[in-house]
């Protein structure tokens, strides 16, 4: 078992454990028990717990920001990129996001990574909006509002209901790109009566 484990196995388990139990569980003996191996396997791959935490945080940054941006960039239009990004952000749970931010309260390395990720995500959102024709100062403000909305949704620990996701994404795109919501008004009783009176 020990020989088959890789450093990535430990890092993947760490992120899963972080999302479920928090940063206090990111210890060599705790993770070794979960994997059914001795602590020696941990120290085969990592010099100490500090190095391990550094690599876990870097992997979080890569998978939750850079990999997502790369995936979004594969879409062939700016509107599709924004749509895909909003769906990605609001359709999935955010347990890992919340736990990482809690860890950042006590860990300077995690705090620095969270701050850098926040800046990178906001900058990317702003870039999408500017490319869509939004004036830079307005794009910056709207990107910040969208990001605060995401963080608020994450903090609520409530995933957007599937049946409401389309409307949520549509409204967020209106906020991002401007314009008024085009919700068809319900006809009044008088207008319905007029239409019915004209029917043969």
């Amino acid at each position: 078992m020990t020989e088959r484990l890789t450093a990535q196995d430990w890092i993947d388990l760490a992120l899963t454990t972080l999302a479920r139990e928090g940063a206090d569980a990111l210890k060599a003996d705790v993770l070794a028990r979960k994997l059914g191996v001795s602590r020696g396997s941990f120290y085969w791959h990592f010099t100490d717990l500090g190095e391990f935490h550094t690599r876990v945080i870097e992997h979080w940054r890569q998978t939750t920001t850079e990999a997502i941006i790369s995936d979004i960039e594969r879409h062939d239009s700016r509107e599709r990129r924004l749509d895909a990004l909003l769906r990605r952000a609001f359709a999935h749970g955010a347990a890992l996001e919340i736990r990482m931010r809690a860890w950042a309260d006590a860990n300077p390395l995690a705090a620095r990574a969270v701050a850098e990720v926040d800046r990178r995500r906001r900058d990317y959102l702003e870039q999408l909006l500017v490319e869509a024709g939004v004036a830079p100062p307005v794009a910056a403000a709207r990107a910040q509002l969208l990001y605060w909305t995401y963080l608020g949704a994450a903090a609520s620990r409530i995933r957007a209901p599937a049946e409401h996701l389309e409307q949520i994404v549509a409204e967020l795109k209106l906020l991002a790109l401007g314009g008024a919501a085009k919700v068809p008004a319900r006809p009044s009783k008088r207008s319905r009566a007029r239409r019915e009176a004209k029917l043969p």
Side-chain angles (χ1 to χ4, degrees), residues 151-168:
L151 292 177
S156 76
R157 299 176 185 267
I158 300 173
R159 187 180 304 182
E163 63 272 21
H164 298 155
L165 184 60
E166 292 296 326
Q167 189 64 41
I168 289 170

Side-chain angles (χ1 to χ4, degrees), residues 3-66:
E3 293 179 358
R4 291 198 298 271
L5 285 176
T6 65
Q8 192 60 50
D9 291 326
W10 286 92
I11 292 169
D12 290 342
L13 176 63
L15 288 176
T16 301
T17 302
L18 176 62
R20 293 175 179 171
E21 303 174 37
D24 287 345
L26 300 186
K27 299 173 182 174
D29 54 344
V30 173
L31 297 175
R33 282 197 300 272
K34 290 178 181 292
L35 288 168
V37 298
S38 71
R39 290 176 60 183
S41 172
F42 175 88
Y43 290 106
W44 177 262
H45 297 292
F46 309 100
T47 304
D48 54 29
L49 201 58
E51 182 205 349
F52 177 61
H53 286 170
T54 298
R55 293 180 63 179
V56 169
I57 291 167
E58 182 54 36
H59 191 62
W60 168 77
R61 181 212 305 266
Q62 180 62 35
T63 56
T64 64
T65 301
E66 298 305 329

Side-chain angles (χ1 to χ4, degrees), residues 143-158:
Q144 183 66 76
L145 287 170
L146 285 172
Y147 196 59
W148 279 338
T149 302
Y150 163 71
L151 292 177
S156 76
R157 299 176 185 267
I158 300 173

Side-chain angles (χ1 to χ4, degrees), residues 1 15-16 28 36 43 53 65 68 85 89 91 105 109 122 129 141 143 149 156 168 182 184-185 187 194 197 199:
M1 177 70 175
L15 288 176
T16 301
Y43 290 106
H53 286 170
T65 301
I68 290 173
L85 183 60
D105 289 338
L109 184 64
R122 284 195 310 269
L129 300 187
T149 302
S156 76
I168 289 170
K182 296 179 180 177
R194 286 176 180 168
L199 293 175

Side-chain angles (χ1 to χ4, degrees), residues 178-198:
K182 296 179 180 177
V183 179
R186 296 183 65 182
S188 67
K189 290 181 180 178
R190 181 178 296 178
S191 63
R192 285 200 303 269
R194 286 176 180 168
R195 284 204 308 271
E196 289 168 0
K198 292 179 180 178

